[in-house]
């Protein structure tokens, strides 16, 4: 079936929900990035996600539910510390890794006995899950290892007819994926992926129960969850992360793109250049990151040089994505 782009009006969402019920694939907006959704309880529908993305089966999917009451449909043994996190951050961009319910096919979790779950805050995502009446397994709607999609066009460009329906809900708000935490020991909480909820925000709720990742991160040993491969989020163009424009060899300038964090680069001679946030705001920078990388990637440049963000708040998620994008080429 050729892909069909629909709007977010209720009739179109009903159509998308019926495609999901029939085992089809629907790309939909969330507050983080666009997801590629299928019925999480239908193993053959889930298998189509892996095919469409060319994703290896060892990389588990996140299950999206419409409200916290549905968590018992996909997970078990929800501990008090989990309820504190749910109270503070759901609906929103926090994925909890919990002991898995038997109803969830092993394909969704790559055979793990845990499942990643979140309630998205995007009204279209919640409405879709609600109308479809099922938990929706959804990775980001891009080919495996490539840049994440933050608008409907990115989905169409990356996946084309591998997806049945694309719901166009405009650009996403956060622009980086959800933060993933493992709280399966019921006491301490460990960050598996930096994302739209910052470590500082988690710290406010968890205090000493948050196992800090900052230190290992500084040493460039980012925590690795299953599927969190060191190379990921890659543009087609080679990407190199730098501290400042001073690190770019002069001979490269005319043929390269430069992605500055807040201060425009001193050189005016780059083939393409972008600034993530003139105000130096990490949230604004994160929201623009993938869109800007998609645009720089569309230029005929030999290298994209990208500046590290300040290592605080959502800046950590930006640096995680840049580090992994660069790893593809090193
Ligand atoms: O913001 C997001 O989280 C987006 C939107 C669509 O919700 N989804 C997303 O999915 O980023 P994806 O597939 O691109 O990344 C999900 C990652 C996997 O690579 C894996 O590392 C982790 O979630 N994950 C899923 N289930 C897990 C589990 N049971 N244990 C540990 N990590 C898990
Ligand atoms: Mg992804």
């Amino acid at each position: 079936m050729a892909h069909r782009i629909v709007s977010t009006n209720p009739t179109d969402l009903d159509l998308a929900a019926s495609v999901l019920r029939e085992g089809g694939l629907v790309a939909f907006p969330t507050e983080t990035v666009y997801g590629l959704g299928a019925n999480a309880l239908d193993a053959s529908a889930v298998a189509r996600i892996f095919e469409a993305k060319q994703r290896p089966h060892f990389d588990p999917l996140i299950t999206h539910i419409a409200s916290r009451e549905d968590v018992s449909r996909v997970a078990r043994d929800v501990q008090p510390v989990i309820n504190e996190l749910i109270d503070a951050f759901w609906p929103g961009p926090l994925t909890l890794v919990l002991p898995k319910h038997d109803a969830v096919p092993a394909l969704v979790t790559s055979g793990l006995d845990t499942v990643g779950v979140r309630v998205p805050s995007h009204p279209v995502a919640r409405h879709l899950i609600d109308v479809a009446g099922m938990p929706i397994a959804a990775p980001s709607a891009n080919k495996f290892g490539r840049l994440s999609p933050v608008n409907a066009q990115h989905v169409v460009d990356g996946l084309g007819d591998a997806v049945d329906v694309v719901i166009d809900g405009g650009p996403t708000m956060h622009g980086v994926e959800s933060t993933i935490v493992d709280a399966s020991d019921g006491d301490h909480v460990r960050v598996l992926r930096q994302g739209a909820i910052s470590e500082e925000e988690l710290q406010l709720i968890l205090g000493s129960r948050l196992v800090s990742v900052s230190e290992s991160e500084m040493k460039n040993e980012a925590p690795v969850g299953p599927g969190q491969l060191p190379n990921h989020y890659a543009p087609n163009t080679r990407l190199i992360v730098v501290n400042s424009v001073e690190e770019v060899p002069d001979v490269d300038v005319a043929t390269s793109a430069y992605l500055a964090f807040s201060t425009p680069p001193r050189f005016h001679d780059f083939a393409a250049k972008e600034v993530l946030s003139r105000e130096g705001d990490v949230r604004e920078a994160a929201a623009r990151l993938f869109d800007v990388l998609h645009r720089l990637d569309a230029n005929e440049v030999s290298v994209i040089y990208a500046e590290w963000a300040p290592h605080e708040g959502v800046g950590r998620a930006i640096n995680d994505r840049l580090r992994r994008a660069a790893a593809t080429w090193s």
Side-chain angles (χ1 to χ4, degrees):
M1 176 167 146
H3 70 266
R4 177 160 171 199
I5 303 174
V6 302
S7 79
T8 59
N9 72 40
T11 319
D12 282 0
L13 296 186
D14 282 349
L15 168 97
S18 66
V19 168
L20 286 170
R21 280 191 293 269
E22 286 156 17
L25 297 186
V26 173
F28 62 97
T30 81
E31 70 278 22
T32 57
V33 301
Y34 274 68
L36 179 64
N39 180 353
L41 305 181
D42 174 351
S44 44
V46 171
R48 291 193 55 206
I49 294 180
F50 284 90
E51 258 170 59
K53 282 188 60 104
Q54 297 166 351
R55 177 172 173 125
H57 285 280
F58 59 72
D59 193 3
L61 306 179
I62 294 174
T63 298
H64 299 68
I65 54 177
S67 72
R68 65 184 294 169
E69 285 69 43
D70 286 343
V71 75
S72 58
R73 291 177 71 184
V74 296
R76 331 173 254 110
D77 302 336
V78 176
Q79 303 287 326
V81 66
I82 305 291
N83 281 314
E84 285 178 58
L85 289 173
I86 290 176
D87 289 340
F89 299 109
W90 279 7
L94 183 71
T95 296
L96 301 171
V97 171
L98 301 173
K100 157 185 158 348
H101 190 293
D102 287 342
V104 179
L107 193 55
V108 173
T109 62
S110 300
L112 297 172
D113 55 12
T114 55
V115 60
V117 194
R118 79 181 190 97
V119 176
S121 63
H122 196 296
V124 171
R126 292 184 75 191
H127 185 95
L128 179 70
I129 304 165
D130 208 29
V131 179
M134 62 183 64
I136 296 182
S140 51
N142 51 277
K143 283 263 162 70
F144 180 70
R146 314 313 306 195
L147 291 175
S148 299
V150 293
N151 62 41
Q153 193 58 48
H154 293 157
V155 178
V156 172
D157 292 346
L159 294 176
D161 290 343
V163 44
D164 300 316
V165 172
V166 179
I167 301 172
D168 186 351
T172 64
M173 178 171 80
H174 292 291
V176 285
E177 292 82 352
S178 62
T179 299
I180 305 179
V181 298
D182 181 347
S184 47
D185 85 348
D187 189 16
H188 289 91
V189 174
R190 204 161 59 95
V191 177
L192 298 182
R193 178 176 73 184
Q194 303 279 356
I197 303 277
S198 69
E199 203 176 313
E200 289 85 342
E201 289 171 278
L202 290 170
Q203 183 86 47
L204 279 179
I205 304 296
L206 294 168
S208 61
R209 292 171 299 171
L210 179 69
V211 181
S212 175
V213 287
S214 307
E215 233 168 87
S216 60
E217 227 192 325
M218 301 290 254
K219 289 187 233 129
N220 237 348
E221 303 159 355
V224 176
Q228 281 292 96
L229 297 178
N231 49 340
H232 216 112
Y233 311 107
N236 293 311
T237 313
R238 177 168 187 219
L239 186 135
I240 296 174
V241 199
V242 294
N243 291 301
S244 77
V245 77
E246 314 297 330
E247 290 176 21
V248 179
D250 286 345
V251 293
D252 275 5
V253 170
T255 55
S256 302
Y258 193 81
L259 176 55
F261 177 71
S262 61
T263 319
R266 185 170 53 82
F267 295 134
H268 292 282
D269 308 338
F270 281 97
K273 58 188 165 165
E274 295 274 357
V275 180
L276 280 184
S277 168
R278 284 183 191 273
E279 309 294 313
D281 179 288
V282 284
R283 288 211 166 268
E284 182 191 16
R288 299 192 61 229
L289 176 70
F290 282 119
D291 190 40
V292 163
L293 284 173
H294 276 282
R295 267 190 279 137
L296 292 178
D297 203 21
N299 287 280
E300 299 286 310
V301 290
S302 52
V303 185
I304 298 170
Y305 288 96
E307 270 176 21
W308 293 112
H311 213 61
E312 62 191 33
V314 190
R316 291 200 182 91
I318 297 176
N319 290 341
D320 171 78
R321 305 307 184 263
L322 292 177
R323 185 188 302 116
R324 291 178 207 275
T328 301
W329 308 106
S330 58

